[in-house]
Amino acid sequence: MKALRRFLDNIKPHFEKGGKFEKLQSTFEAFETFLFVPDQVTTQGSHIRDNIDMKRTMALVVISLIPALLFGMWNVGYQHYLATGQEGSTIELFLEGLKLVLPIVIVSYVTGLAIEFAFAQIRGHEVNEGFLVTGMLIPLVLPVDVPLWMVAVATAFAVIIGKEVFGGTGMNILNPALTARAFLFFAYPAYMSGNQVWTHGLMEGEGIVDGFSGATPLSMAAEGNVDNIPAVSDMFFGFIPGSIGATSVVAVLIGAFILLFTGVGSWRIMLSTFAGGLVMGFLLNAFAVNPFMEIPAWQHLAMGGFAFGAVFMATDPVTAARTRKGKYIYGFLIGLLAILIRVVNPAYPEGIMLAILLMNVFAPLIDHYVVESNINKRLKRAEAQAA
Amino acid sequence: MSKVHKIKRGLNIPLIGKAEKVIRNAEPARYYGVKPIDFQGMRTKLLAWPGDRVKAGTSLFYNKLQPHVKMPSPVSGKVAEVNRGERRKILEVVIEPDSQMEYEDFGKGEPRDMSRDGVVDKLTKSGLWTFIRQRPYSISANPEDDPKAIFVSGFDTAPLAPDNDFILKGENEDFQRGIDALSKLTSGKIHLNLNSDYPPSDVFTKAKGLQINWFTGPHPAGNVGVQINRIDPINQGDLVWYVYPQDIITIGRLFGKGIYDASKVIGLTGSEVKKPIYYRLLRGASIENLVKDHVEPGNLRCISGNVLTGKKINSEGYLGFFDNQVTVIPEGNYHEFLGWAKPGFNKYSTSRTFFSWLQPKRRYRLDTNIHGGERAYVISGEYEKVFPMDIYPVQLIKAIMIEDIELMEKLGIYEVDEEDFALCEFVCTSKTPVQPIIRKGLDMMREEMT
């Protein structure tokens, strides 16, 4: 390691101001700080600091996404084999999925990181770690047959319009991964909705066994075909068509456990999102006028991408509410709206995406009123004392 | 025991190097220094120049903005040098002590029998008025004000902080005299706040003329700001004073003996101290003798004060005016290969992202490395876990960053001080320099309001 450090120290001057590669300073810094935690020490304020930093935090979120990614790869293979009537071992299914999913992951990371590095360079900032998570989230919420160029365009849109125009990581209003998904959803609906896109091969239609529809439980339910939706256990484990990494509640819960145990994810948001979903489910049950509304409230939590959204998307700390009370309200409304949109509006079976994006926009407002109530409390206290 | 105020949010950072309860007399120092930077809002005007002879209690400089605030010399001797920094800012006035101590005589007097003016006069003349500070802004108090209360925190919860109950033992008389003096200064109460987790020293419990309040909880439960927030919060226009217990004793001695007796007990603490114990010395002493043979070799940082709020000094630097401990920890100026990705069995973090959570009782040797780069606020809810006041810390910091005076006021800037935010700074994933931002906000407010 000393040799590597010496090498970096030797070439470093070229990247500093006045050096040959001055223009690549951020890029050099990104690689240097990736390899070595900087030797910077405290000068003012607290002399000691917690070991945690943004790299560690973001890396942890990526780790928490790995169960969903691995299961998603397997499920992609499983659904494909199911559709084509093939048989295969677990490994074969997984490899089939790997073959299809890995390119999407790579395109997402390469496009996004290239833009991040470019922006850091132009602005003279350090490269932010936020995209490490976004780059993994984007593939997980897309259908497997999405063309790679679309992944690239959507990622670019998400990073530039969703984040960098606002000032980069930490400043964005909308969740970048959901921005990417929403962009594709509205720009290329044929590739993002319907029954054909969720299973590899259906769009081409060749070699598909009779009777395989490829419909997700949500689209079945939206069509009133409630009797045929898969067993709750299948939805819970994730053996259903859907976005690459968002079908398995089990995989999501493993991720949630990692996030909550390490203290990186907000339990307040997760809890209140599930609570909001349940409450809306019960309300719909109470006023049920069609089969979709009769689906037991708790089943909604296992259907579609609700759990994935609640655990990985709603909890994005930048776009969520930042106050404690605000988090409860924010999550609760997401859960409420997600189920409402899903059931009442057949055009958007996956309501969680829209619910989160909508609440992203309202999060600052929620925080505003929470902070305002604190201010009022202080004013009242002053008045009471003056009286 | 009456009501106990429970502080739930906070953090005790588990550090190695707590001082064992033994007091030793420190060798007399070769030099003593008094530093204007120890006092917030100081515009220094010198009263003694190099070569001048001073006695213990002779004023060395005063504050142009608050002429009653004068800084006394802790020893008698010769002014050796005046060290200046950028723009000729005075950093420290250094005294070379005589072999025989001579004291300025301020005259004895029982504060109980004195008028307010008499007490104020004695305190300002001797320079001991400087011990009395006010919130908001944490600057020296103004004798013409009548604060709504005076607060004394009887315990210190900062990392490796000295035990006040231990170091004040037997000082009952001087403490009572100090309290008597303080009680002349306010028409309100004197609040003495104690830790309910153990029986405190009778120096505190037997003192008369004050109200005792009980607290329990992790750091910053011992911070006077947190205690004020719980008992009698500061609203706009309010004024509260606060004094440290050892300083009250020094005030008591002034009235009892008529002199400025600068002796105090401090803890020599930190992971790099071979045998952390307590030392009796004079305020402003150079720490040269303290650390010379008593610390491990290596690249070290000496801090006057605790690791969260203390000031960096060199190994011959001078003890800060208000500091009750000296901490020595390792410097962290090294590159660590893939440090952020290591399992981290020996890396302390309040998050459980490092495997050090497997050993919850372990104590750590933390260094001064920042452990990462400065970033925008991404993670939320971190400060709130360690900040026990009913104030929104991040929102307040942002209000200061955008220099919105009105918003700062609404969000409670009057109630806080840098030390209250020290833990926020410690836990911050974004590595935001929180304490300097708070100080900037307080200075801005003060300029705006005066």
Side-chain angles (χ1 to χ4, degrees), chain B residues 245-257:
Chain B
Q246 284 218 69
D247 301 345
I248 294 177
I249 286 171
T250 308
I251 290 175
R253 284 187 208 136
L254 168 72
F255 286 90
K257 298 196 231 165

Side-chain angles (χ1 to χ4, degrees), chain B residues 81-124:
Chain B
E81 55 188 343
V82 174
N83 293 325
R84 291 173 188 266
E86 257 176 69
R87 290 193 191 167
R88 294 186 46 79
K89 185 180 172 181
I90 296 170
L91 298 180
E92 47 203 21
V93 177
V94 180
I95 321 284
E96 191 181 353
D98 292 335
S99 52
Q100 200 67 39
M101 264 297 237
E102 280 183 70
Y103 294 95
E104 293 275 3
D105 185 10
F106 300 106
K108 291 185 205 176
E110 208 48 66
R112 238 171 302 170
D113 310 329
M114 292 165 78
S115 65
R116 184 184 202 266
D117 288 346
V119 171
V120 169
D121 190 53
K122 202 180 274 298
L123 286 172
T124 47

Side-chain angles (χ1 to χ4, degrees), chain A residues 58 130 133-134 137 163 169-170 172-178 259 264-266 269 309-322 327 330 356 360 363, chain B residues 378-380:
Chain A
M58 293 301 165
V133 172
T134 311
L137 281 172
K163 193 162 76 175
T169 304
N172 48 309
I173 294 170
L174 298 176
N175 182 321
L178 279 179
L259 288 182
V264 169
S266 163
I269 294 178
V311 170
F312 295 117
M313 298 289 197
T315 54
D316 167 16
V318 175
T319 54
R322 285 171 175 264
K327 281 176 182 164
Y330 168 83
I356 293 174
N360 280 171
Chain B
V378 168
I379 310 299
S380 63

Side-chain angles (χ1 to χ4, degrees), chain A residues 246-319:
Chain A
T247 59
S248 170
V249 179
V250 176
V252 168
L253 287 180
I254 297 173
F257 174 77
I258 297 173
L259 288 182
L260 294 180
F261 182 78
T262 53
V264 169
S266 163
W267 62 266
R268 290 184 176 84
I269 294 178
M270 289 187 206
L271 183 78
S272 59
T273 305
F274 282 111
L278 262 185
V279 167
M280 183 46 79
F282 283 125
L283 274 175
L284 291 169
N285 289 167
F287 298 100
V289 291
N290 65 34
F292 200 171
M293 291 171 83
E294 281 166 16
I295 291 179
W298 58 274
Q299 276 194 27
H300 273 296
L301 308 186
M303 286 173 86
F306 185 87
F308 189 87
V311 170
F312 295 117
M313 298 289 197
T315 54
D316 167 16
V318 175
T319 54

